[in-house]
Amino acid sequence: MKNKKLKIAIYWFGSCGGCEVALVELNEKILELAEIADIVLWPVALDFKYEDLEKFKAQEIDISLINGCIANFENEQIAKMLREKSKVLIAYGSCACFGGIPGLVNLATKEEVYKIAYSETPSTINPKFTTPQQSYKADAHELELPEFYGYSRALHQVVEVDYFVPGCAPPIESTEKLLEIAKEFAAKGALPPKGTVIGSEKSVCDECEREKAEKKSISKIYRIYEKEADPKKCLLDQGIICMGPATRGGCKARCLNANQPCIGCMGALPEALDQGAKMLSALASIIGIEEEKALSEEDLKKIIDKVADPAGSFYKFSLPVGIISRKHTEKK
């Protein structure tokens, strides 16, 4: 391995493609990557087929960088192949690390997803309710499509993952850190401990420079468009839900620097089992705390009802890895 060029594979599953763009943020440092590695598989940038991946021997690929969640049979099959053929497998981005925004599909069943996507959306005209089939014949040709599971999983819920790089998309500092790890691996064969998360051990609040009240108390919750936020003060102190207290740092509080609340893309804090539950606990501890005796159950309900989308607010990126990870229905 020492002083030998690495073989790197880059692949995406269920995601928006933003993580692929994040790699380009390396700018001129991508030349440093070119010095130490050859990209042997990157279907987004170059034409690769399944056969190209199948030809690799076990662990012939040094590093596989994967973004996106596991949402269908093809995702799972390729993930298992890349695991077998790679020495190091890295989950890159929130979808691969936690399931990400596509993981909110877990709030519905497969049938409900099809009903919404192929019938009820305003721009859809589908009187026969035609939905994707796994195979379709036309003339002498047969098309095969991978089975859509109707739920999403994080990469580590399907195969063993060596390192995690959270973020939507991962901040450039994390990608640069990853480059340094690859350079160290190429030069000395050295790697960080398995399971390392490329991010801070502290929360986004610890990186946020806004003024914070010593004793927090809010009596009303606002959506971001309902209030002109003071750019110097903590958004949570102003009644705007900000996931900072429940979210791992490492992003330098970029969203807050743009006067937008943290939406939780760096995932749960190291000691937290469930990011959404952690945030709910933080929020519950400050709602009407000074008026606690005066607030009736109805008053509390009015405040909580202002959270328009609780699952989307508290589990936007982490539902598949949460304690309650998906909707279950009883078998008939």
Side-chain angles (χ1 to χ4, degrees):
M1 175 58 60
K2 294 178 183 177
N3 300 318
K4 187 179 176 183
K5 260 197 161 184
L6 301 175
K7 292 180 180 178
I8 292 183
I10 304 169
Y11 211 95
W12 74 348
F13 297 132
S15 69
C16 67
C19 291
E20 305 278 346
V21 179
L23 290 171
V24 183
E25 279 192 299
L26 281 172
N27 294 323
E28 69 276 8
K29 286 192 174 181
I30 208 158
L31 297 176
E32 297 177 26
L33 178 64
E35 286 180 11
I36 60 159
D38 291 323
I39 296 176
V40 297
L41 186 79
W42 194 5
V44 166
L46 298 165
D47 185 22
F48 288 99
K49 309 298 184 191
Y50 291 137
E51 305 85 77
D52 297 312
L53 176 56
E54 289 169 345
K55 287 176 184 173
F56 287 105
K57 299 173 185 173
Q59 298 203 337
E60 184 177 348
I61 299 170
D62 295 299
I63 298 175
S64 280
L65 195 64
I66 296 177
N67 68 84
C69 63
I70 306 297
N72 63 38
F73 177 75
E74 181 190 55
N75 298 159
E76 183 168 356
Q77 190 179 35
I78 299 293
K80 289 177 177 176
M81 288 177 67
L82 282 168
R83 176 66 280 183
E84 177 197 348
K85 296 175 185 300
S86 307
K87 295 184 182 74
V88 176
L89 196 75
I90 299 172
Y92 185 76
S94 300
C95 295
C97 291
F98 324 118
I101 293 175
L104 290 173
V105 73
N106 292 11
L107 293 169
T109 64
K110 181 177 178 178
E111 291 73 24
E112 288 168 339
V113 171
Y114 276 5
K115 189 177 178 183
I116 293 169
Y118 297 101
S119 177
E120 295 182 349
T121 47
S123 59
T124 300
I125 299 174
N126 185 7
K128 294 183 179 179
F129 190 49
T130 302
T131 59
Q133 306 298 306
Q134 284 183 245
S135 65
Y136 179 78
K137 290 183 180 178
D139 300 326
H141 303 284
E142 184 170 356
L143 175 67
E144 295 285 341
L145 289 176
E147 178 191 2
F148 169 60
Y149 291 151
Y151 59 89
S152 293
R153 286 173 289 176
L155 185 60
H156 72 274
Q157 293 174 316
V158 176
V159 295
E160 183 180 4
V161 171
D162 298 303
Y163 306 108
F164 299 84
V165 188
C168 182
I172 182 58
E173 292 84 0
S174 297
T175 306
E176 289 176 344
K177 175 70 176 173
L178 202 56
L179 175 61
E180 293 305 312
I181 289 172
K183 289 164 70 175
E184 191 78 358
F185 187 36
K188 303 176 182 176
L191 286 167
K194 274 196 173 188
T196 295
V197 178
I198 310 299
S200 173
E201 296 294 300
K202 297 182 178 179
S203 73
V204 170
C205 286
D206 290 311
E207 297 180 343
C208 178
E209 296 180 350
R210 289 169 177 257
E211 299 168 12
K212 301 173 182 69
E214 288 188 18
K215 187 176 181 181
K216 291 182 183 296
S217 176
I218 57 174
S219 57
K220 190 174 181 181
I221 291 174
Y222 299 90
R223 302 187 78 178
I224 185 65
Y225 66 85
E226 293 179 318
K227 186 172 186 175
E228 188 173 348
D230 185 330
K232 294 183 179 178
K233 293 184 178 178
C234 168
L235 290 178
L236 205 51
D237 287 345
Q238 299 179 64
I240 296 168
I241 292 179
C242 175
M243 290 288 289
T247 301
R248 180 190 290 271
C251 59
K252 294 189 175 178
R254 278 180 168 77
C255 293
L256 289 143
N257 294 338
N259 211 22
Q260 293 295 309
C262 169
I263 55 176
C265 73
M266 292 292 284
L269 288 162
E271 77 278 8
L273 286 177
D274 185 300
Q275 186 182 21
K278 176 81 174 176
M279 187 60 210
L280 281 167
S281 174
L283 195 59
S285 69
I286 62 171
I287 290 179
I289 192 166
E290 290 181 347
E291 310 168 57
E292 196 167 11
K293 291 181 181 176
L295 285 177
S296 66
E297 192 172 323
E298 187 179 349
D299 291 332
L300 280 171
K301 187 174 183 308
K302 283 180 182 176
I303 296 173
I304 297 298
D305 283 349
K306 287 293 291 182
V307 183
D309 178 14
S313 297
F314 303 126
Y315 291 93
K316 182 172 286 183
F317 295 92
S318 64
L319 182 62
V321 297
I323 294 172
I324 301 174
S325 59
R326 56 181 282 210
K327 183 176 183 178
H328 292 272
T329 55
E330 291 184 8
K331 290 184 178 179
K332 296 181 180 177

